[in-house]
Amino acid sequence: MKREDIERVYAELKELQCKTQKEVEEARVRFLGKKGEITALFEEFRTVDKDMKREFGRTLNELKNTAQEAIDRLREAVGFESASEGPKQDLTMPGDPMELGSRHPVSIVRQEIVDIFRKFGYDVAEGPEIEDDYHVFEALNFPPNHPARDMQDTFFVSVGHPNPLLLRTHTSSVQVRTMERMKNPPIRVICPGRVFRNEAISARAHCIFHQVEGLYIDENVSFADLKQAILLFAREMFGPETEIRMRPSYFPFTEPSAEVDVSCNICHGKGCNICKGSGWLEILGCGMVDPNVLKASGIDPEKYSGFAFGMGLERIAMLKWRVNDLRHYFENDMRFLQEFSTAVEV
Ligand code: DAH
């Protein structure tokens, strides 16, 4: 074995050029294959004199590594011209499963409600989550010492100001903003959004939840219109057999006010543990917009009247899917959320 043989292979490696993967493979066989040039040198190495073995051995190994690196580099550089040339793939392997996300149940319910009211001709309106006292309370006819204004219920962002900033406790504030913005009826909006209350977290209460507010103002809007709108909504939402019942109630911003129950869609009025045996489920509050509220936002109560309603999304979602603990909606437990993956509507 001569030094020149090694030098010659080095020179050939240096000149090596390949245009396709096939050529790279041929080069690999030529140098490193079973009958390749470098393999042959290794064969020859066995016959080298003992005292030369160390040096030749090292040089040969270096040559082999250089050749391997050159081939690897060419393989990278040439790229694949067709799929059949590419790295071997086992087409019988099972595919990588693709994780499908799903809508959150509260989003599903919000979308359903928005879709129903869009059909009735309502637009969607939004307002800020950090609001001021005026839009959450004052303009909605809350008297100065109403308990809802208490720190117990409301998260204040700033205090000691005549119109402090706070986290809105209901989406009724968006009513006010919409009336201020639109000024001229007819006004028909629904306002979905997040609301905040200083409540201890339990199966039935949370400090953050979602509401949808509705508002309709026009000439000659009556309580009968309100009742009809709610009945149509309830039937779209809970099924065509659904009945509603209205109970007198009180809200500062509506007069008269009512709370609405729907017939229990689980026991169909017979009485079960969801409706606590009554056959009815409470779903929303509503009423005729108080003239003071219209006036505060610059709408003439002599000319116009309207109705408003507000409902909690988590509550509707709980009734719809018979979920008995509100906290499930906030904890992002995948086992819970994945239950809704088939509920995705496209
Ligand atoms: N804002 C009320 C609440 O947070 C819900 C509500 C009741 C809204 C009656 C209304 C309404 O617009 O007319 O509990």
Side-chain angles (χ1 to χ4, degrees):
M1 180 186 232
K2 290 188 252 68
R3 198 170 291 278
E4 291 91 287
D5 294 330
I6 292 175
E7 298 291 326
R8 179 180 43 79
V9 179
Y10 264 116
E12 285 172 22
L13 277 174
K14 222 173 158 189
E15 296 293 301
L16 191 59
Q17 279 186 354
C18 296
K19 288 201 194 64
T20 62
Q21 290 294 339
K22 200 164 159 242
E23 287 178 16
V24 178
E25 179 58 14
E26 281 164 7
R28 187 191 67 77
V29 172
R30 177 174 144 211
F31 290 103
L32 298 165
K34 261 196 188 142
K35 294 180 182 155
E37 294 184 32
I38 296 173
T39 321
L41 289 175
F42 271 94
E43 294 286 319
E44 232 178 280
F45 172 69
R46 295 206 217 137
T47 65
V48 167
D49 283 349
K50 238 188 182 162
D51 51 345
M52 301 288 278
K53 266 214 153 100
R54 230 181 104 103
E55 197 201 329
F56 266 112
R58 208 187 54 227
T59 329
L60 259 186
N61 274 325
E62 275 171 17
L63 176 65
K64 186 181 169 191
N65 290 341
T66 307
Q68 189 62 56
E69 280 165 21
I71 300 280
D72 289 346
R73 225 175 309 120
L74 280 167
R75 186 167 284 146
E76 284 268 316
V78 165
F80 297 109
E81 277 175 0
S82 66
S84 60
E85 239 189 3
K88 293 271 178 292
Q89 285 181 356
D90 181 356
L91 298 180
T92 63
M93 292 257 289
D96 289 335
M98 195 161 47
E99 291 266 351
L100 266 192
S102 57
R103 302 265 305 278
H104 191 280
V106 171
S107 298
I108 295 171
V109 165
R110 179 185 53 205
Q111 193 58 50
E112 257 184 68
I113 296 173
V114 165
D115 287 346
I116 292 169
F117 280 101
R118 276 235 175 88
K119 275 198 278 188
F120 298 169
Y122 286 66
D123 283 331
V124 175
E126 282 181 12
E129 292 178 350
I130 301 175
E131 258 293 5
D132 53 23
D133 182 279
Y134 177 80
H135 289 90
V136 174
F137 298 127
E138 185 83 33
L140 286 164
N141 201 36
F142 279 81
N145 294 316
H146 192 282
R149 291 182 149 179
D150 191 1
M151 300 270 242
Q152 297 302 316
D153 295 316
T154 306
F155 290 113
F156 284 88
V157 176
S158 66
V159 283
H161 188 277
N163 184 24
L165 286 180
L166 42 85
L167 301 184
R168 68 180 178 196
T169 55
H170 55 181
T171 43
S172 302
S173 54
V174 189
Q175 273 192 33
V176 178
R177 294 213 170 257
T178 305
M179 288 189 280
E180 286 172 347
R181 181 167 50 83
M182 297 188 49
K183 295 223 155 48
N184 295 315
I187 295 173
R188 240 192 243 103
V189 287
I190 52 162
C191 324
R194 253 197 316 190
V195 299
F196 309 84
R197 285 185 202 174
N198 191 2
E199 304 230 22
I201 295 168
S202 72
R204 307 186 62 87
H206 208 282
C207 55
I208 304 177
F209 55 102
H210 298 77
Q211 287 187 333
V212 171
E213 181 80 12
L215 176 71
Y216 175 33
I217 299 171
D218 204 347
E219 289 178 34
N220 303 316
V221 177
S222 71
F223 200 93
D225 297 320
L226 167 61
K227 196 175 163 194
Q228 185 66 4
I230 300 295
L231 178 65
L232 287 177
F233 162 70
R235 291 192 170 164
E236 291 272 341
M237 190 76 205
F238 297 103
E241 314 285 296
T242 310
E243 295 295 339
I244 62 167
R245 128 182 133 166
M246 294 178 124
R247 288 177 285 107
S249 184
Y250 172 78
F251 302 102
F253 34 92
T254 44
E255 182 57 38
S257 307
E259 269 165 304
V260 178
D261 301 336
V262 292
S263 51
C264 180
N265 62 344
I266 293 154
C267 64
H268 301 286
K270 285 193 208 78
C272 65
N273 62 354
I274 303 282
C275 62
K276 305 222 167 57
S278 72
W280 296 96
L281 302 162
E282 186 191 325
I283 59 156
L284 56 80
C286 62
M288 301 307 292
V289 181
D290 194 292
N292 287 341
V293 173
L294 295 175
K295 230 184 292 171
S297 296
I299 289 175
D300 181 2
E302 298 297 325
K303 189 165 176 208
Y304 296 109
S305 56
F307 61 72
F309 54 88
M311 61 190 119
L313 287 183
E314 282 80 4
R315 180 166 173 79
I316 305 253
M318 282 170 89
L319 297 178
K320 191 175 162 75
W321 286 294
R322 298 172 213 182
V323 174
N324 57 11
D325 192 323
L326 185 72
R327 287 168 290 197
H328 286 305
Y329 291 122
F330 302 97
E331 286 172 355
N332 291 331
D333 184 333
M334 291 297 279
R335 291 166 304 178
F336 176 73
L337 295 176
Q338 278 166 350
E339 301 249 323
F340 300 91
S341 57
T342 52
V344 174
E345 283 163 40
V346 277

